[in-house]
Amino acid sequence: MKLSWHHSLGIQAIRFFTFLFILISCAFSPLHAAEPVSRSLDAGWQFRAVANADRADLKEWHPAQVPGVVQTDLLRNKLIPDPFDRDNEFHLQWIGLADWEYQTTFQADAATLAREHVDLVFEGLDTFADVYLNDQVILHADNMFRSWRIPAKSQLKPGANTLRIVFHSAVEKVLPYVKSLPYVLPSISTNNFGNEENIATAPYTRKAPYNYGWDWGPRFMTEGIWQPVRLETWDALRIANFHIHQQDITSGLANVTAEVEIEASQATTINLTLAHDEMAGAQTADGNLMQQLNAGSNHVSVPVRIVAPKLWYPVGYGAQSRYRFSAAVHVGREIIARAETKTGLRSVELRRVPDEWGKSFEFVVNGIVVFAKGADVIPFDSFPNRVTPEIHRNILQAARDAHMNMVREWGGGYYESDDFYDICDELGIMVWQEFMFGGDMVPGDVGFQENVRREAIDQVKRLRDHPSVVIWCGNNEVETGWYHWGDRLAFKESISAEARDRVWLDYILLFADILKSAVTQYADPVPYWPSSPSANFEEVPDNQHNGDMHYWQVWHAQAPASDYTLQFPRFMTEYGFQSFPEMRTIGSFAKPEDFDIRSTVMQAHQKNKGGNERILTYMLREYREPKDFASFVYLSQVQQAEIIKIGAEHLRRQRPRTMGSLYWQLNDCWPVASWASIDYYGRWKALHYYARRFYDDVLISPFLHDDKVDVYVVSDTLQPISGTIHMRLLDFSGNVLLEQTKDVQIPAQSSAIYLSVNKPDLSAKDDLRKSFLVFDLQVAGKQVSRNLIFFDVAHDLELPVAPKIESTLSKTDGGYNLTLRTPALARNVYVSVGNLDVQMSDNYFDLLPNEPITITLKTSSALDQVKGELRIRSLTEAF
């Protein structure tokens, strides 16, 4: 058949486009590849000293644990004594000035080497580290907080491969550079023991600031492989990150976007499938998407709608519902990559609007304004590899048990492990998350800024799907330090005006641009706050009408505790007072001959200069002199609890003007006299028992001032309450001198005065040195809150001396019931059971005359053991 010219041209066109289609199809054809495989390289490590360590035994190879740090490896090999014992800290500073080498050998088989990509992944190296694979350098690490992925296939060989890491002293590595600078930035670490030549290297080093020493923690300059190491193999592609971006969340509808980052070896076409479930429920498919990938990094976004979602709420405001989302990448019929993430669906807002007191500062979750009740969290150990999920859970559960709904992850430590945030998600504890800047000014060179930017992206992407993280904050106290601290004011005077402007501009660039941009880009819609405390650059920070506030006149300036009631911040992120841990904890680091607040060992475990004497100074204002060291320890805890109670109740009474109370601090990193309410071993101090009362959702809070008592009721509940206030004036033998009741209607989420009593009217009834007020709030016939008022300091009250306390112990499920009764007032009753492991339902409480109290003792110990170790003491026995 004869073809026309046009027909011939058409056939040629068809052939051309067919060829082009085949070519394109080949380019995007299905790839036959296995899923990525991850293999741990945490085993088989050994270590030795390679510089600045004179002992011959340290230059020999010793077994090492990964994750870990050199101090714990030395301790495990019995090469050093316990760093926490007595004053050993001072004698172990050489460790952080030495260089250390770690080495392991791992096998690479034919299947591993056949993969297209073989990456070494280091989740955390502390801090300056040179990494060698088969004696070829593959990485120079310089940031403790970053992860590192290194393509390693070309350096690998069949069989045994040697991975070697040389860690350099963070002080010795940076010191020459700092000495070359025209001026040295001010640093908190220059005010702590052990800073060589008193030159601050910390501001120039991306390392946990508390490693350099703090006013509650020792100086241990750690080095080592502090996070896991793995070998990861993959072919066509891998999922680099999987995130659920929450744009619009309501109880009726959740609009989210599944964001998948895919690293591809070459251009190809994939089918991406998504699904979600309610953790324990049936899985719901969210559809699939055909997507063309380019070689390199690809970002795929898929909108997902969830009708009538189950939302995540802070504890006390609703359930902690969470969803599990999954993504799978198909090429042809094969799944070649998959990922999973958990999150809770919630809206979050930091509401700051002008009002009669200035500018509000309150967290709004799912449309509910939340009064934040909690404490500041520091690292759980000086050596982070020793912190287990069980330790995290015990402390965080204790926080929830004390009705806390927020913890502040303080910026002087390290970004916590995933399990910490998982537990906060589960328990409904909001997290104020800070970037790791603890108080030092920051350098402005581009390399440092880029290093921090990458750190921020790493950490924000790691933590952004945790619903508990409700704010990212740039730093701890750097901004207020610039304006208010003596060393910063002296520094500004010592340099030129141009240099001062440069230092401040460097601060602005990092905390108002680089970190803020990382949060905006990767953690939207979680808010960013530049510093704590701060007014968001609108005015000088640390004030009572704009932003958050830290208040330290009580303690550092020895102001009376009553000065807490003169503060009216919008949100209080720090205030605190010290105490000693219990005698059992002190016995873990000290001998009986050390039991003196001025002994070398007690001073070594008191990192705030003059702290032990300050505790005693405050103590003698309120109480009589303690009769012995154990009584001093007991009184220190009672004093701490009573003082923080004044501050916490005052802040709660101020709602809605004040909408947050976070006391310093929740936990300890070693056994020490500190501001913590739970000591290093997880043992509750008096403060934590008090916190369970003053942070309860409904609180009766009498306030004595100006010759009268105003009786507040504070409610954080979402429903109104009908209740009865029962007031009694009692003498110390329990005789009722005055009694009054009043029915009250308490609105949801409120604080108000419901009753006022004039002090002169009470004085007419009795000598107020021999009597006290009791306030009970009853709801439906049940006591929900109790509070007492005494009319003078304890040493001026005529308290019963060593009141007789009768005790009855009876067996119950999981432990015992302990019932206590006294014929005369016993204040601050403390129950102890020696070295037995016992969890108590209450402690450090006031026992009223002829009004028995029963507490539960949860323990597996036998009855005879508990009876033999049981000790009960009250306040006046300590004098």
Side-chain angles (χ1 to χ4, degrees):
M1 183 175 72
K2 187 176 180 181
L3 298 176
S4 68
W5 179 84
H6 295 286
H7 198 129
S8 176
L9 184 62
I11 291 175
Q12 292 180 47
I14 290 171
R15 289 173 176 168
F16 171 77
F17 285 114
T18 300
F19 171 78
L20 184 62
F21 174 77
I22 292 171
L23 185 66
I24 294 173
S25 298
C26 290
F28 294 104
S29 61
L31 302 176
H32 297 283
E35 292 187 55
V37 174
S38 182
R39 170 184 162 195
S40 172
L41 296 183
D42 291 345
W45 288 88
Q46 54 186 348
F47 80 108
R48 65 181 178 182
V50 291
N52 300 328
D54 297 330
R55 285 168 45 184
D57 58 341
L58 298 177
K59 297 178 181 178
E60 300 172 359
W61 288 109
H62 299 277
Q65 185 178 77
V66 172
V69 294
V70 67
Q71 284 86 349
T72 52
D73 285 330
L74 290 167
L75 180 63
R76 192 176 298 104
N77 285 277
K78 300 181 179 179
L79 296 169
I80 59 170
D82 184 349
F84 290 174
D85 192 35
R86 308 195 80 221
D87 62 346
N88 285 345
E89 173 203 355
F90 303 143
H91 309 296
L92 297 176
Q93 293 305 305
W94 56 270
I95 299 171
L97 299 177
D99 291 356
W100 301 89
E101 183 178 28
Y102 281 71
Q103 180 176 289
T104 191
T105 300
F106 64 93
Q107 297 292 318
D109 57 19
T112 297
L113 297 175
R115 301 299 295 268
E116 189 173 341
H117 299 273
V118 184
D119 295 343
L120 275 169
V121 181
F122 303 90
E123 294 186 23
L125 299 172
D126 180 12
T127 293
F128 293 102
D130 299 329
V131 182
Y132 300 85
L133 178 58
N134 295 325
D135 290 325
Q136 297 182 58
V137 64
I138 60 172
L139 172 66
H140 297 292
D142 60 354
N143 188 325
M144 177 180 179
F145 307 122
R146 286 179 59 185
S147 59
W148 313 87
R149 175 180 290 270
I150 309 300
K153 182 174 180 179
S154 62
Q155 283 84 24
L156 288 171
K157 60 184 181 181
N161 290 264
T162 299
L163 182 60
R164 185 166 57 90
I165 307 176
V166 177
F167 292 93
H168 302 281
S169 162
V171 172
E172 298 292 348
K173 179 77 172 178
V174 178
L175 199 56
Y177 168 72
V178 177
K179 286 181 177 180
S180 72
L181 298 174
Y183 52 80
V184 179
L185 293 171
S187 168
I188 287 178
S189 66
T190 58
N191 298 320
N192 287 276
F193 157 81
N195 190 266
E196 290 65 33
E197 302 179 59
N198 207 38
I199 295 175
T201 59
Y204 307 90
T205 309
R206 292 311 297 144
K207 179 172 176 59
Y210 85 117
N211 288 165
Y212 294 81
W214 220 266
D215 58 5
W216 38 256
R219 178 186 172 96
F220 286 119
M221 296 295 290
T222 53
E223 302 174 42
I225 309 168
W226 80 291
Q227 296 287 1
V229 182
R230 68 181 187 272
L231 191 72
E232 192 170 295
T233 58
W234 55 287
D235 293 321
L237 56 84
R238 67 182 184 90
I239 297 178
N241 192 265
F242 180 35
H243 165 54
I244 304 302
H245 181 197
Q246 303 186 30
Q247 290 111 321
D248 185 19
I249 308 295
T250 68
S251 59
L253 179 66
N255 282 310
V256 304
T257 301
E259 298 183 351
V260 189
E261 291 182 30
I262 300 174
E263 186 76 19
S265 299
Q266 63 187 70
T268 189
T269 302
I270 64 163
N271 186 39
L272 176 66
T273 61
L274 298 168
H276 73 270
D277 63 70
E278 298 173 7
M279 298 294 287
Q283 192 173 75
T284 300
D286 294 318
N288 60 75
L289 174 72
M290 189 71 71
Q291 180 76 29
Q292 291 185 350
L293 301 183
N294 297 317
S297 182
N298 298 264
H299 187 100
V300 182
S301 297
V302 182
V304 177
R305 297 171 79 252
I306 301 176
V307 177
K310 294 183 177 179
L311 302 185
W312 182 94
Y313 291 88
V315 60
Y317 295 88
Q320 286 74 57
S321 302
R322 288 178 291 164
Y323 287 83
R324 177 171 40 227
F325 290 82
S326 60
V329 176
H330 305 253
V331 173
R333 296 182 177 180
E334 298 179 12
I335 296 179
I336 64 170
R338 68 184 82 206
E340 183 178 287
T341 190
K342 295 178 294 184
T343 193
L345 302 178
R346 52 90 179 100
S347 64
V348 60
E349 173 193 357
L350 176 59
R351 184 171 293 168
R352 300 181 64 240
V353 296
D355 60 20
E356 61 187 295
W357 304 292
K359 203 168 191 178
S360 65
F361 193 105
E362 56 193 22
F363 289 92
V364 184
V365 181
N366 299 328
I368 301 172
V369 178
V370 177
F371 187 102
K373 301 177 293 189
D376 301 289
V377 172
I378 66 168
F380 290 73
D381 202 297
S382 291
F383 311 117
N385 53 293
R386 300 205 295 200
V387 181
T388 64
E390 290 73 25
I391 291 173
H392 280 152
R393 180 168 291 279
N394 288 341
I395 299 295
L396 291 170
Q397 183 63 56
R400 176 171 164 149
D401 289 345
H403 305 287
M404 296 184 187
N405 58 29
M406 177 178 276
V407 293
R408 172 172 167 252
E409 176 68 7
W410 171 75
Y414 54 84
Y415 305 92
E416 271 294 350
S417 55
D418 292 338
D419 69 277
F420 174 89
Y421 301 96
D422 285 337
I423 296 167
C424 288
D425 294 344
E426 175 191 332
L427 297 180
I429 298 175
M430 298 179 291
V431 178
W432 172 303
Q433 178 64 50
E434 295 186 353
F435 289 98
M436 292 302 123
F437 295 88
D440 297 347
M441 298 305 295
V442 292
D445 60 279
V446 173
F448 181 88
Q449 292 169 342
E450 177 61 16
N451 200 357
V452 171
R453 188 186 71 83
R454 293 186 180 186
E455 165 195 326
I457 293 172
D458 277 358
Q459 296 298 338
V460 170
K461 290 170 74 171
R462 179 173 73 93
L463 301 178
R464 60 186 173 178
D465 282 307
H466 290 283
S468 55
V469 178
V470 296
I471 188 171
W472 281 91
C473 178
N475 65 73
N476 168 72
E477 295 188 336
V478 182
E479 187 178 335
T480 191
W482 181 254
Y483 282 100
H484 300 128
W485 293 357
D487 67 327
R488 311 301 153 97
L489 299 177
F491 169 75
K492 287 187 278 189
E493 289 296 320
S494 71
I495 59 177
S496 68
E498 182 181 0
R500 280 197 301 274
D501 292 343
R502 179 72 256 174
V503 172
W504 181 241
L505 184 61
D506 292 339
Y507 175 89
I508 295 290
L509 186 58
L510 187 59
F511 295 105
D513 182 6
I514 293 173
L515 294 182
K516 182 178 181 180
S517 296
V519 173
T520 301
Q521 182 174 354
Y522 296 103
D524 176 72
V526 175
Y528 174 78
W529 190 244
S531 182
S532 181
S534 178
N536 201 30
F537 304 111
E538 295 162 1
E539 54 187 297
V540 174
D542 217 1
N543 66 68
Q544 303 207 30
H545 55 271
N546 190 355
D548 68 316
M549 179 177 166
H550 295 188
Y551 181 72
W552 282 106
Q553 294 301 107
V554 177
W555 178 259
H556 285 303
Q558 299 190 33
S562 58
D563 277 14
Y564 279 137
T565 64
L566 306 178
Q567 313 308 312
F568 300 91
R570 308 318 308 267
F571 194 104
M572 186 78 90
T573 31
E574 279 191 25
Y575 64 105
F577 198 92
Q578 276 202 4
S579 72
F580 272 63
E582 65 174 76
M583 288 299 298
R584 189 166 41 146
T585 295
I586 293 171
S588 73
F589 65 80
K591 298 178 179 179
E593 58 264 33
D594 302 320
F595 292 173
D596 184 301
I597 65 170
R598 297 176 182 87
S599 71
T600 299
V601 170
M602 288 305 150
Q603 294 289 350
H605 287 256
Q606 166 58 269
K607 292 303 180 182
N608 188 229
K609 186 176 181 180
N612 292 349
E613 289 74 15
R614 190 173 293 120
I615 292 172
L616 182 60
T617 296
Y618 270 97
M619 190 178 292
L620 296 180
R621 294 179 190 174
E622 177 72 25
Y623 306 101
R624 297 175 188 174
E625 187 168 352
K627 65 183 181 183
D628 52 28
F629 180 73
S631 297
F632 168 84
V633 169
Y634 158 80
L635 282 174
S636 78
Q637 291 203 21
V638 170
Q639 172 174 257
Q640 178 195 34
E642 291 282 350
I643 287 176
I644 298 304
K645 175 180 183 286
I646 292 171
E649 290 196 8
H650 166 72
L651 293 170
R652 292 196 66 193
R653 290 194 298 262
Q654 302 316 306
R655 72 170 300 165
R657 180 176 184 173
T658 300
M659 286 303 291
S661 164
L662 306 181
Y663 66 72
W664 185 271
Q665 67 204 59
L666 181 62
N667 62 311
D668 275 327
C669 70
W670 75 317
V672 64
S674 81
W675 295 270
S677 63
I678 302 176
D679 75 18
Y680 173 70
Y681 294 105
R683 296 163 183 157
W684 290 25
K685 295 184 182 180
L687 172 55
H688 210 75
Y689 290 101
Y690 271 56
R692 186 155 59 184
R693 299 172 208 139
F694 63 60
Y695 276 159
D696 205 346
D697 290 341
V698 180
L699 170 72
I700 189 166
S701 179
F703 176 39
L704 174 61
H705 67 105
D706 300 324
D707 259 0
K708 67 174 181 176
V709 179
D710 287 330
V711 184
Y712 288 77
V713 176
V714 182
S715 174
D716 292 336
T717 64
L718 297 177
Q719 301 297 327
I721 297 171
S722 297
T724 302
I725 294 174
H726 184 200
M727 182 197 81
R728 290 176 291 164
L729 179 67
L730 304 180
D731 66 20
F732 293 152
S733 295
N735 296 309
V736 179
L737 307 173
L738 178 67
E739 189 168 14
Q740 183 178 345
T741 61
K742 182 179 181 180
D743 293 334
V744 293
Q745 299 298 317
I746 305 160
Q749 296 191 291
S750 66
S751 172
I753 298 170
Y754 292 87
L755 181 67
S756 292
V757 185
N758 292 321
K759 187 177 177 183
D761 295 339
L762 301 172
S763 302
K765 299 293 182 181
D766 193 34
D767 183 348
L768 295 184
R769 293 175 302 163
K770 303 177 182 179
S771 56
F772 63 107
L773 281 171
V774 184
F775 295 92
D776 292 312
L777 178 65
Q778 297 171 336
V779 176
K782 179 182 177 182
Q783 178 184 302
V784 297
S785 182
R786 167 174 283 183
N787 228 322
L788 309 184
I789 286 287
F790 293 90
F791 296 96
D792 212 332
V793 295
H795 63 61
D796 287 340
L797 296 175
E798 297 185 17
L799 294 168
V801 178
K804 183 180 179 181
I805 301 176
E806 299 176 355
S807 64
T808 304
L809 199 62
S810 59
K811 190 78 173 71
T812 186
D813 291 340
Y816 306 91
N817 284 336
L818 176 65
T819 301
L820 304 177
R821 178 189 295 270
T822 179
L825 175 68
R827 292 193 65 185
N828 307 112
V829 174
Y830 170 48
V831 179
S832 62
V833 283
N835 290 320
L836 298 182
D837 185 17
V838 177
Q839 183 179 342
M840 299 189 190
S841 63
D842 202 3
N843 216 337
Y844 294 95
F845 49 83
D846 292 322
L847 186 60
L848 272 55
N850 303 312
E851 296 187 22
I853 288 180
T854 298
I855 63 173
T856 61
L857 279 59
K858 187 177 180 181
T859 179
S860 59
S861 300
L863 178 61
D864 288 343
Q865 285 182 294
V866 176
K867 284 183 174 179
E869 296 291 340
L870 183 65
R871 300 291 184 273
I872 302 166
R873 74 183 305 168
S874 63
L875 184 66
T876 53
E877 296 174 72
F879 301 155

